[in-house]
Amino acid sequence: MEWLCVSRAEGSSRIARIGPERSRRAAAYVRMSTDHQRYSTENQLDSIKRFAEARDFEIVRIYEDAGKSGLNLEGRDAFQRLLADVERGTADFGAILVYDVSRWGRFQNADHGAHLEFLCSRADIVVHYCAEQFENDGSIGSNLLKTVKRVMAGEYSRELSVKVFAGQCRLVEKGYRQGGMAGYGLRRLLIDENGEPKSELSIGERKSLQTDRVILIPGPAEEVEVVRRIYRLFVDFGVQEAQIAARLNLEGIVTDLGRPWTRGTVHQVLTNPKYIGDNVFNRVSFKLKMRRVVNTQEHWVRARGVFTAIVDVVTFERAARIVEDRSRRMNDAELIDLLRSLLEAQGSLSSLVIDEREDMPSSSVYRSRFGSLLRAYHLVGYSPRRDYRYIEINRRLRAMHPDVVTMVIDGLRVAGGEVLVDPETGLIDVNGEFTASVVVARCGETQAGSPRWRIRLDAGLASDITIAVRMERGNVSPLDYYLLPRLDMTEPKLRLAENNGLSLDGYRFETLDFLFSLAARAQFEEAA
């Protein structure tokens, strides 16, 4: 709300100086956040009008900020317009009437409010605090009281922030959601004080009753499946966030805000504990609107398992470990010291022993840094008698195989192919034109530590194409893919090194996009 009274002289775009009359003309500034009813803009304006009548001021403009915090200038559009009018010299008033010092602002630095008042004074405009018990006349007493009031206004915000934060923490621990959108695959459910569901909140909607609470529930089934698929691609197949985003965008899937996926939005899904049912608060703090701080986990407020999970804890922790290992930077000496301390504690070493240790990088970090685990073992003086890792690895790869097949089928169908799967053999028929089978090749090591892969081509299936998924060192995620046509494969078994020459590496691909393109159907226009 803004009242204007502008006089112009000889076509000038600036406000004309009107001598003594200007000092009797005043602008009113009112602001309300959510503090108290007595600070409503109507109540403030009533007090300001009584003050103006008693001192013979004519209110020619009203600047109003409703629902705006006084901690800084951000979002206070009317106050910024007021300051702009003052600094440009276009103000047609000689006084600014404010309810009290706190309405001018609750700045955490008292000098900030004083500086803004000084800008007005420099333009021959006096600020009056209508509800205060002192006249703002520049006397020592008024200056002292103003300083105290400014400090008190800032301290009030600090005390309120502490109380509000403590209350929010208690509600979080009880399993109630505090602010923020639900996120992709989740929805916010409004419940009453007895825990009975009321309605689902849409984006931008808020609760209207103080006794109501908000919890998170799983969203539509198709969104939940996309979230689980993101985790499978990242954890089981080693697909990076940017590649996952590109794949989702290619399929026409958008985020909860209706926007394309990015590396950042995929990363948020992979790292937010709400997907395993945890209620987490204070991951990022912006107290008193001073500085945004990304807090470490020890400062999080976390209630575990209070919401319905859509991702299992084991998968989430594996994703977190991948992210942590990727971002962690240690020098070789630090890695060796950790490995040596683990050997002293366990008496033996293996990739499983290393991966199960939470305060250590994963075994893949040691392979990457030192070329192989055997070389890392040698550096700490350990010689394994026998390595039983292959038993656990094979068990893991067998469990992974159905997910790989599902990924292949989904990719073929998204590309437009018609896919049929033989329920007995698992043979994949694409468009009735060719068949495919999937094998997952474990990465082994020679005595020298060089990687090797053995691929068995199932002659019984006689598939046209064998999709060989070559696992990276550690056998956690795929390294690359070989599309092996039956017509060119004369041996039932293949033994692959890192580099195999054009006769084999000519069939190697970083992704399965080429395979999916084979399933796409071209549209031809009918000739005239």
Side-chain angles (χ1 to χ4, degrees), residues 140-187:
I140 294 177
S142 69
N143 288 338
L144 287 174
L145 284 173
K146 275 193 303 182
T147 301
V148 172
K149 287 282 188 176
R150 286 174 182 140
V151 173
M152 290 174 61
E155 182 61 24
Y156 172 84
S157 293
R158 285 190 287 272
E159 292 179 353
L160 182 63
S161 174
V162 172
K163 294 176 182 178
V164 170
F165 181 75
Q168 289 175 318
C169 291
R170 286 194 294 270
L171 291 175
V172 168
E173 291 168 354
K174 292 181 178 181
Y176 300 128
R177 176 78 170 173
Q178 293 298 299
M181 297 186 297
Y184 189 84
L186 297 167
R187 292 295 185 270

Side-chain angles (χ1 to χ4, degrees), residues 328-507:
R328 181 177 296 179
R329 295 292 181 267
M330 291 184 176
N331 58 41
D332 291 355
E334 291 173 327
L335 290 174
I336 291 301
D337 287 341
L338 285 174
L339 193 61
R340 184 176 292 110
S341 64
L342 178 62
L343 175 60
E344 293 173 355
Q346 298 289 336
S348 63
L349 295 175
S350 72
S351 62
L352 289 177
V353 172
I354 296 173
D355 290 339
E356 288 176 358
R357 185 72 173 259
E358 293 183 357
D359 58 348
M360 286 187 64
S362 67
S363 57
S364 62
V365 173
Y366 284 92
R367 291 188 182 93
S368 173
R369 188 70 64 87
F370 301 104
S372 70
L373 276 179
L374 288 176
R375 185 169 182 273
Y377 293 162
H378 175 73
L379 293 174
V380 296
Y382 176 68
S383 298
R385 296 180 181 179
R386 188 171 180 181
D387 193 354
Y388 292 96
R389 292 173 300 160
Y390 69 92
I391 298 176
E392 180 62 29
I393 291 172
N394 286 346
R395 185 184 298 117
R396 187 195 312 156
L397 296 185
R398 283 195 297 270
M400 181 187 296
H401 186 270
D403 289 333
V404 177
V405 174
T406 300
M407 181 197 68
V408 171
I409 293 173
D410 289 345
L412 292 168
R413 286 175 173 164
V414 167
E418 296 180 4
V419 182
L420 298 176
V421 182
D422 190 311
E424 295 183 1
T425 64
L427 194 65
I428 303 171
D429 182 282
V430 183
N431 296 330
E433 297 172 349
F434 66 91
T435 59
S437 60
V438 178
V439 298
V440 179
R442 180 174 65 90
C443 178
E445 290 182 350
T446 65
Q447 291 185 350
S450 300
R452 291 291 185 271
W453 293 265
R454 293 183 179 180
I455 299 174
R456 179 177 177 273
L457 304 176
D458 196 333
L461 290 178
S463 60
D464 297 316
I465 297 176
T466 297
I467 305 167
V469 183
R470 197 165 69 156
M471 302 298 292
E472 48 79 50
R473 293 176 184 257
N475 295 288
V476 174
S477 58
L479 172 66
D480 51 28
Y481 305 88
Y482 279 73
L483 303 182
L484 305 170
R486 179 163 58 93
L487 293 177
D488 294 344
M489 298 297 110
T490 58
E491 299 293 332
K493 296 180 181 180
L494 296 176
R495 189 169 185 265
L496 301 181
E498 286 187 281
N499 299 298
N500 306 279
L502 185 60
S503 60
L504 285 175
D505 285 350
Y507 302 110

Side-chain angles (χ1 to χ4, degrees), residues 26-30 48 51-52 57 59 95-99 126-128 130:
Y29 174 72
V30 293
I48 289 172
F51 183 93
F57 282 117
I59 299 177
I96 298 174
L97 309 183
V98 189
Y99 180 77
V126 180
V127 178
H128 295 276
C130 304

Side-chain angles (χ1 to χ4, degrees), residues 254-275:
V254 295
T255 67
D256 51 320
L257 297 178
R259 300 170 182 169
W261 289 86
T262 65
R263 181 191 180 280
T265 53
V266 172
H267 185 78
Q268 289 173 1
V269 171
L270 289 168
T271 57
N272 200 313
K274 63 188 176 184
Y275 290 104

